[in-house]
């Protein structure tokens, strides 16, 4: 059987996993999680990153942060993976599908405005296969109608729109590190928080609805249940694996480009 993909290994994954284990703290938000966060903040200037167990989870966190209520409408491209829609459906949203452009699989930005109603809350541009959506037009529409933008950048790592990294343009951005992606850790993802107003709540949702992140930073003397949330953070074992990949990002990207067939239709 020909496999759909073969995940690339840098050779450092097991060494870093061994190191994570020997550090004695293998639950989430430890040494390697912080190293991954720092990597992204330094390389792309992301304001705040939170590793998640998948892009699906990052999208679910985004849907909570957008405060989706029953019947709110979310505009999603009709050509995407289920998670772009599912995350919002789980919060009670009605999905309004927008068509793709003729030249890329991405959302046709010229079709968005006609789909907006008083119930519309969020637009979800999906940078399918790393092809950037027209973010200038999408952000302009969102600003004019006071909508939120959640970039589904599951395929968009290390890809850019007019020099700006994908995932950094909307209010929130979501990446996937599933083994089919260029940079992977088996199952993994990341939420990028570009709008400062979401940072504090994002950390709480990430940590099962508790203010434990503030506790670890020494800002409070005990932590408790303060909001809804779930167990969205990955273990240090996944973060250690991911860090081995991140350190070799340029090499991995180059290898992908060399072995990939140019997609002439897009
Ligand atoms: C566009 C898109 N969004 C979200 C996801 C979900 O990613 P994950 O498998 O990390 O949950 C995928 C998965 O391939 C995807 O293609």
């Amino acid at each position: 059987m020909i496999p759909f993909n073969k995940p690339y290994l840098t050779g450092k994954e097991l060494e870093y996993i061994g190191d994570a284990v020997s550090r004695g703290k293998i639950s989430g938000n430890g040494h390697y999680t912080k190293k991954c966060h720092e990597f992204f903040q330094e390389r792309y200037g992301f304001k705040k990153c939170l590793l998640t167990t998948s892009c699906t989870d990052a999208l679910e966190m985004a849907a909570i942060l957008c405060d989706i209520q029953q019947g709110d409408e979310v505009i999603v491209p009709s050509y995407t993976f289920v998670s772009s829609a599912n995350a919002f459906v789980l919060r009670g949203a009605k999905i309004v599908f927008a068509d793709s452009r003729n030249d890329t699989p991405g959302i046709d930005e010229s079709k968005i405005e006609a789909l907006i109603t008083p119930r519309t809350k969020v637009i979800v541009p999906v940078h399918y296969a790393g092809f950037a959506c027209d973010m200038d037009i999408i952000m302009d529409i969102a600003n004019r109608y006071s909508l939120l933008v959640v970039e589904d950048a599951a395929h968009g790592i290390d890809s850019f729109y007019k020099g700006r990294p994908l995932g950094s343009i909307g209010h929130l951005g979501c990446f996937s590190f599933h083994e089919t992606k260029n940079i992977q850790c088996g199952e993994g993802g990341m939420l990028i928080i570009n709008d400062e107003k979401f940072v504090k709540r994002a950390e709480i949702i990430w940590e099962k609805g508790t203010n434990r992140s503030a506790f670890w930073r020494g800002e409070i003397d005990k932590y408790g249940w303060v909001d809804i949330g779930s167990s969205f953070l990955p273990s240090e074992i996944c973060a250690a694996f991911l860090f081995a990949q991140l350190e070799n990002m340029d090499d991995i990207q180059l290898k992908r480009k060399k072995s990939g067939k140019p997609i002439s239709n897009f």
Side-chain angles (χ1 to χ4, degrees):
M1 201 173 80
I2 300 170
F4 176 69
N5 77 300
K6 279 191 186 168
Y8 177 77
L9 298 175
T10 68
K12 283 274 192 179
E13 286 82 358
L14 289 179
E15 183 187 322
Y16 289 171
I17 287 174
D19 182 49
V21 172
S22 68
R23 284 171 183 273
K25 184 189 184 296
I26 50 171
S27 58
N29 202 9
H31 176 76
Y32 281 99
T33 301
K34 290 189 176 76
K35 280 180 92 66
C36 291
H37 289 169
E38 279 162 19
F39 174 91
F40 282 106
Q41 277 152 7
E42 278 162 23
R43 181 166 168 131
Y44 300 109
F46 295 153
K47 285 200 190 90
K48 177 80 182 170
C49 312
L50 292 173
L51 286 191
T52 55
T53 45
S54 62
C55 182
T56 302
D57 268 359
L59 286 160
E60 286 179 22
M61 283 184 70
I64 297 174
L65 285 167
C66 293
D67 197 25
I68 296 293
Q69 303 292 321
Q70 193 71 35
D72 285 343
E73 292 176 13
V74 176
I75 299 176
V76 176
S78 49
Y79 188 82
T80 184
F81 186 69
V82 290
S83 301
S84 324
N86 237 341
F88 296 91
V89 171
L90 280 170
R91 314 273 359 131
K94 179 184 160 206
I95 302 298
V96 177
F97 287 109
D99 211 345
S100 297
R101 291 170 54 115
N102 288 332
D103 55 347
T104 79
I107 193 165
D108 185 340
E109 64 284 349
S110 70
K111 302 266 171 64
I112 295 175
E113 214 161 337
L115 301 173
I116 295 174
T117 75
R119 297 302 311 259
T120 308
K121 208 163 198 176
V122 183
I123 306 171
V124 186
V126 180
H127 306 298
Y128 208 91
F131 288 93
C133 300
D134 195 327
M135 292 306 292
D136 280 348
I137 293 181
I138 293 169
M139 293 312 290
D140 175 60
I141 296 171
N143 290 335
R144 281 192 283 113
Y145 289 89
S146 301
L147 305 177
L148 292 167
V149 173
V150 176
E151 291 179 75
D152 182 338
H155 314 172
I157 191 128
D158 202 38
S159 300
F160 298 82
Y161 170 78
K162 298 186 180 173
R164 298 171 72 189
L166 298 185
S168 72
I169 304 163
H171 300 84
L172 298 159
C174 304
F175 280 124
S176 174
F177 305 122
H178 183 265
E179 73 154 45
T180 48
K181 307 303 183 295
N182 293 19
I183 305 296
Q184 55 94 22
C185 60
E187 299 277 358
M190 187 170 72
L191 178 69
I192 301 147
I193 302 119
N194 301 314
D195 188 327
E196 186 66 36
K197 73 170 183 270
F198 292 122
V199 168
K200 203 168 162 211
R201 191 166 185 230
E203 276 189 343
I204 289 168
I205 292 164
W206 190 55
E207 275 275 25
K208 301 134 185 125
T210 74
N211 48 6
R212 187 153 58 176
S213 295
F215 173 73
W216 289 129
R217 284 195 298 267
E219 293 165 13
I220 47 176
D221 60 3
K222 60 178 183 307
Y223 73 88
W225 181 23
V226 293
D227 200 341
I228 60 165
S230 193
S231 189
F232 286 120
L233 67 173
S235 84
E236 278 292 289
I237 294 174
C238 290
F241 188 116
L242 181 65
F243 189 66
Q245 297 257 313
L246 293 178
E247 274 189 335
N248 285 275
M249 162 104 75
D250 291 330
D251 189 36
I252 295 174
Q253 292 289 78
L254 203 67
K255 284 190 166 71
R256 274 271 182 158
K257 279 180 192 148
K258 274 191 185 151
S259 62
K261 197 168 152 259
I263 308 171
S264 53
N265 287 344
F266 294 145

